[in-house]
Amino acid sequence: MPTVRDAGACGPADTLIVLLPGRGMALDELSSEGFIDAFRAAGLRADLVRADAHMGYYKDRSVVDRLHVDVIAPARAQGYRHIWLAGISLGGLGALLYADEHPEEVDGLLLIAPYLGEPQTAAAVAAQGGPGRWRPPAETDDAIGVRAWTCLQRYVGPGAVRTPLFLAFGVDDRLAPTHRVLAPALPPPRVLTAPGGHDWPAWRPLWQRLLAQVPLPRCGGTHP
């Protein structure tokens, strides 16, 4: 899996953010749309890696393995002690799937407008009282949605893991109905919304706000 590394703003760091693009999104688009400039402006004592986790990896179900072998394991070998995963749309799903299979490798998740399967699966989750009470069906036409919501159960309810999960989405996003099913199950400070739909005008300010709120050290040695 090809990657592009972006150094942080304040020298050597032991924290890495792995950013996964959305469907059909080139790595240089993340730069041209201001995500890398925003990352450096946030003053995090961290580095960032853009991983080219394109649709092909999801189709052949190799995205988790390739992330582990090509991105995460080399980062550990380079000395990174803390790794956060961030993803936009399909990339949010990829981050969630990886964290489910390798929870010990992930210190936090930043999900921007994540794809969480089909609306009917989210509707079933809502009808059963939210992700904490939902039980996966024995049969489904939305296997990836069932998998996504099963993964999410790790992060909600009294027995939730300590790994923080942040959810950010545009209020007019076509996927927002699924996000609104998840949002009430998360701590309110970890749910961010912005005007706009499933596109950069919403994602840019959400990314900036996530970077401002994420509990990571800053160049001055402080936490938010």
Side-chain angles (χ1 to χ4, degrees):
M1 181 180 291
T3 61
V4 175
R5 180 179 176 274
D6 301 288
C10 49
D14 66 359
T15 297
L16 182 69
I17 299 174
V18 178
L19 178 57
L20 308 181
R23 181 175 182 174
M25 189 182 296
L27 294 188
D28 59 0
E29 193 173 0
L30 293 165
S31 178
S32 63
E33 292 292 344
F35 266 46
I36 308 309
D37 287 343
F39 162 70
R40 293 201 177 101
L44 293 173
R45 188 171 291 281
D47 296 328
L48 185 142
V49 161
R50 290 173 268 166
D52 192 15
H54 57 69
M55 189 64 184
Y57 294 107
Y58 294 87
K59 287 183 175 179
D60 67 12
R61 301 183 181 182
S62 67
V63 65
V64 170
D65 288 343
R66 295 274 39 103
L67 276 171
H68 190 68
V69 173
D70 299 336
V71 183
I72 305 301
R76 292 295 188 192
Q78 292 165 18
Y80 289 105
R81 297 177 56 199
H82 307 288
I83 294 178
W84 283 64
L85 299 184
I88 303 169
S89 192
L90 184 66
L93 172 65
L96 187 61
L97 295 176
Y98 182 87
D100 187 64
E101 292 195 28
H102 298 280
E104 73 286 351
E105 297 287 359
V106 179
D107 290 271
L109 292 167
L110 305 175
L111 307 183
I112 301 175
Y115 175 69
L116 301 176
E118 297 302 314
Q120 65 266 23
T121 301
V125 173
Q128 293 183 36
R133 297 182 177 181
W134 172 74
R135 293 297 173 263
E139 297 182 4
T140 180
D141 294 327
D142 181 25
I144 194 63
V146 169
R147 175 76 193 285
W149 286 99
T150 301
C151 295
L152 285 165
Q153 289 185 315
R154 180 190 298 272
Y155 300 93
V156 302
V161 297
R162 297 182 63 184
T163 303
L165 183 152
F166 288 77
L167 171 67
F169 62 96
V171 294
D172 297 317
D173 194 314
R174 65 177 184 274
L175 304 182
T178 65
H179 303 146
R180 291 191 178 101
V181 175
L182 173 60
L186 298 173
R190 295 183 186 167
V191 178
L192 288 69
T193 60
H198 199 73
D199 209 345
W200 296 107
W203 299 340
R204 281 191 294 266
L206 288 170
W207 176 240
Q208 292 172 349
R209 290 170 57 197
L210 284 169
L211 295 174
Q213 292 184 217
V214 66
L216 292 177
R218 311 276 152 168
C219 293
T222 61
H223 282 71

